[in-house]
Amino acid sequence: LDSTGECVKLIRADGKLLRINPAGVDLLEAESADALLGTDWLALWGPNTGRARAAFAEALTHGVAAFEAPAPTLKGNLRQWRN
């Protein structure tokens, strides 16, 4: 997981970020992985939080889900994300 250029996250059932790979830290423009751990991943989606929450609930229920939406990085730069 650490060698991919994609943002890979491990998220607890309550939506809190448990682990993120180095590429994810860079893509989110975070200071470090430690700064993100425990963060409510769903809250990072801003106006698309509802879509993120629905996809997350589907993944918890069915084992898989996907959605694509824009959301800002931690530095406020808008980026298109596929999850």
Short mmCIF file of all heavy atoms in Angstrom, two decimals, residues 27-29 41 43-49 69-81:
data_model
loop_
_atom_site.label_atom_id
_atom_site.label_comp_id
_atom_site.label_asym_id
_atom_site.label_seq_id
_atom_site.Cartn_x
_atom_site.Cartn_y
_atom_site.Cartn_z
N LEU A 27 -1.52 13.76 -1.28
CA LEU A 27 -2.67 14.19 -2.06
C LEU A 27 -3.62 15.06 -1.25
O LEU A 27 -4.23 15.99 -1.77
CB LEU A 27 -3.40 12.98 -2.64
CG LEU A 27 -2.65 12.24 -3.75
CD1 LEU A 27 -3.31 10.89 -4.04
CD2 LEU A 27 -2.59 13.08 -5.01
N LEU A 28 -3.77 14.74 0.03
CA LEU A 28 -4.63 15.54 0.91
C LEU A 28 -3.94 16.82 1.38
O LEU A 28 -4.55 17.64 2.04
CB LEU A 28 -5.07 14.72 2.12
CG LEU A 28 -6.20 13.74 1.86
CD1 LEU A 28 -6.35 12.77 3.03
CD2 LEU A 28 -7.51 14.48 1.63
N GLU A 29 -2.65 16.95 1.05
CA GLU A 29 -1.85 18.10 1.47
C GLU A 29 -1.84 18.25 2.98
O GLU A 29 -2.00 19.34 3.53
CB GLU A 29 -2.32 19.38 0.77
CG GLU A 29 -2.17 19.31 -0.74
CD GLU A 29 -2.56 20.58 -1.46
OE1 GLU A 29 -3.55 21.22 -1.07
OE2 GLU A 29 -1.84 20.95 -2.40
N TRP A 41 -13.28 10.99 8.53
CA TRP A 41 -13.11 11.00 7.09
C TRP A 41 -14.33 11.59 6.39
O TRP A 41 -14.20 12.33 5.42
CB TRP A 41 -12.83 9.59 6.59
CG TRP A 41 -12.70 9.48 5.11
CD1 TRP A 41 -11.63 9.85 4.34
CD2 TRP A 41 -13.68 8.98 4.20
NE1 TRP A 41 -11.89 9.61 3.02
CE2 TRP A 41 -13.14 9.07 2.90
CE3 TRP A 41 -14.96 8.46 4.36
CZ2 TRP A 41 -13.84 8.66 1.78
CZ3 TRP A 41 -15.64 8.05 3.24
CH2 TRP A 41 -15.09 8.15 1.97
N ALA A 43 -16.29 13.91 7.34
CA ALA A 43 -16.35 15.37 7.48
C ALA A 43 -15.44 16.09 6.49
O ALA A 43 -15.62 17.28 6.24
CB ALA A 43 -15.98 15.76 8.91
N LEU A 44 -14.49 15.38 5.91
CA LEU A 44 -13.57 16.00 4.94
C LEU A 44 -14.25 16.30 3.61
O LEU A 44 -13.68 17.00 2.77
CB LEU A 44 -12.37 15.08 4.69
CG LEU A 44 -11.46 14.81 5.88
CD1 LEU A 44 -10.38 13.80 5.49
CD2 LEU A 44 -10.83 16.09 6.37
N TRP A 45 -15.46 15.82 3.41
CA TRP A 45 -16.14 15.94 2.12
C TRP A 45 -16.94 17.21 1.94
O TRP A 45 -17.53 17.43 0.88
CB TRP A 45 -17.02 14.71 1.88
CG TRP A 45 -16.14 13.54 1.56
CD1 TRP A 45 -15.68 12.60 2.42
CD2 TRP A 45 -15.55 13.26 0.30
NE1 TRP A 45 -14.85 11.74 1.77
CE2 TRP A 45 -14.75 12.13 0.46
CE3 TRP A 45 -15.62 13.87 -0.95
CZ2 TRP A 45 -14.02 11.58 -0.59
CZ3 TRP A 45 -14.90 13.32 -1.99
CH2 TRP A 45 -14.11 12.18 -1.80
N GLY A 46 -16.98 18.06 2.94
CA GLY A 46 -17.69 19.34 2.80
C GLY A 46 -19.11 19.15 2.30
O GLY A 46 -19.87 18.36 2.86
N PRO A 47 -19.49 19.82 1.21
CA PRO A 47 -20.87 19.73 0.71
C PRO A 47 -21.23 18.33 0.19
O PRO A 47 -22.40 18.05 -0.01
CB PRO A 47 -20.94 20.76 -0.41
CG PRO A 47 -19.55 21.11 -0.74
CD PRO A 47 -18.70 20.78 0.44
N ASN A 48 -20.24 17.46 -0.01
CA ASN A 48 -20.52 16.10 -0.48
C ASN A 48 -20.51 15.08 0.65
O ASN A 48 -20.44 13.88 0.41
CB ASN A 48 -19.50 15.71 -1.56
CG ASN A 48 -19.76 16.47 -2.84
OD1 ASN A 48 -20.85 16.41 -3.40
ND2 ASN A 48 -18.78 17.23 -3.28
N THR A 49 -20.60 15.55 1.89
CA THR A 49 -20.60 14.64 3.03
C THR A 49 -21.74 13.63 2.95
O THR A 49 -21.56 12.46 3.28
CB THR A 49 -20.67 15.43 4.35
OG1 THR A 49 -19.47 16.21 4.46
CG2 THR A 49 -20.78 14.52 5.56
N ALA A 69 -16.38 12.50 -6.31
CA ALA A 69 -16.87 13.84 -5.96
C ALA A 69 -15.68 14.77 -5.74
O ALA A 69 -14.60 14.33 -5.37
CB ALA A 69 -17.71 13.79 -4.69
N PRO A 70 -15.92 16.06 -5.93
CA PRO A 70 -14.88 17.03 -5.60
C PRO A 70 -14.89 17.30 -4.10
O PRO A 70 -15.92 17.25 -3.45
CB PRO A 70 -15.30 18.27 -6.37
CG PRO A 70 -16.78 18.16 -6.49
CD PRO A 70 -17.07 16.69 -6.55
N ALA A 71 -13.70 17.58 -3.59
CA ALA A 71 -13.57 17.98 -2.18
C ALA A 71 -12.23 18.70 -2.04
O ALA A 71 -11.27 18.40 -2.76
CB ALA A 71 -13.62 16.77 -1.25
N PRO A 72 -12.15 19.62 -1.12
CA PRO A 72 -10.89 20.36 -0.93
C PRO A 72 -9.85 19.53 -0.18
O PRO A 72 -10.20 18.69 0.65
CB PRO A 72 -11.30 21.57 -0.11
CG PRO A 72 -12.50 21.12 0.64
CD PRO A 72 -13.20 20.14 -0.26
N THR A 73 -8.59 19.81 -0.47
CA THR A 73 -7.51 19.25 0.34
C THR A 73 -7.49 20.02 1.66
O THR A 73 -8.25 20.97 1.85
CB THR A 73 -6.16 19.43 -0.37
OG1 THR A 73 -5.86 20.83 -0.42
CG2 THR A 73 -6.16 18.83 -1.77
N LEU A 74 -6.62 19.63 2.55
CA LEU A 74 -6.53 20.34 3.82
C LEU A 74 -5.99 21.75 3.66
O LEU A 74 -6.16 22.58 4.55
CB LEU A 74 -5.67 19.54 4.80
CG LEU A 74 -6.26 18.19 5.20
CD1 LEU A 74 -5.32 17.45 6.14
CD2 LEU A 74 -7.63 18.35 5.84
N LYS A 75 -5.39 22.04 2.50
CA LYS A 75 -4.92 23.40 2.22
C LYS A 75 -5.93 24.18 1.38
O LYS A 75 -5.67 25.29 0.96
CB LYS A 75 -3.57 23.36 1.53
CG LYS A 75 -2.47 22.87 2.46
CD LYS A 75 -1.12 22.97 1.83
CE LYS A 75 -0.06 22.54 2.85
NZ LYS A 75 1.28 22.59 2.26
N GLY A 76 -7.11 23.57 1.15
CA GLY A 76 -8.19 24.27 0.46
C GLY A 76 -8.20 24.16 -1.05
O GLY A 76 -9.02 24.78 -1.71
N ASN A 77 -7.30 23.37 -1.62
CA ASN A 77 -7.27 23.18 -3.07
C ASN A 77 -8.29 22.13 -3.49
O ASN A 77 -8.27 21.01 -2.98
CB ASN A 77 -5.87 22.77 -3.53
CG ASN A 77 -4.86 23.85 -3.24
OD1 ASN A 77 -5.06 25.01 -3.59
ND2 ASN A 77 -3.76 23.48 -2.58
N LEU A 78 -9.19 22.51 -4.39
CA LEU A 78 -10.24 21.58 -4.81
C LEU A 78 -9.65 20.49 -5.69
O LEU A 78 -8.86 20.76 -6.59
CB LEU A 78 -11.33 22.35 -5.59
CG LEU A 78 -12.61 21.59 -5.82
CD1 LEU A 78 -13.26 21.18 -4.51
CD2 LEU A 78 -13.57 22.44 -6.63
N ARG A 79 -10.05 19.26 -5.42
CA ARG A 79 -9.55 18.10 -6.14
C ARG A 79 -10.71 17.14 -6.39
O ARG A 79 -11.61 17.05 -5.57
CB ARG A 79 -8.49 17.43 -5.28
CG ARG A 79 -7.56 16.55 -6.04
CD ARG A 79 -6.41 16.15 -5.17
NE ARG A 79 -5.38 17.18 -5.29
CZ ARG A 79 -4.13 17.01 -4.98
NH1 ARG A 79 -3.71 15.89 -4.47
NH2 ARG A 79 -3.26 17.99 -5.13
N GLN A 80 -10.67 16.44 -7.49
CA GLN A 80 -11.67 15.42 -7.79
C GLN A 80 -11.16 14.10 -7.22
O GLN A 80 -10.02 13.71 -7.46
CB GLN A 80 -11.88 15.30 -9.30
CG GLN A 80 -13.02 14.41 -9.71
CD GLN A 80 -14.39 15.01 -9.40
OE1 GLN A 80 -14.53 16.20 -9.19
NE2 GLN A 80 -15.39 14.18 -9.39
N TRP A 81 -12.00 13.41 -6.45
CA TRP A 81 -11.61 12.16 -5.78
C TRP A 81 -12.49 11.02 -6.25
O TRP A 81 -13.70 11.19 -6.42
CB TRP A 81 -11.74 12.30 -4.27
CG TRP A 81 -10.95 13.41 -3.67
CD1 TRP A 81 -11.37 14.69 -3.45
CD2 TRP A 81 -9.61 13.34 -3.21
NE1 TRP A 81 -10.37 15.42 -2.87
CE2 TRP A 81 -9.27 14.62 -2.71
CE3 TRP A 81 -8.65 12.33 -3.16
CZ2 TRP A 81 -8.02 14.90 -2.17
CZ3 TRP A 81 -7.41 12.63 -2.61
CH2 TRP A 81 -7.11 13.90 -2.13
#
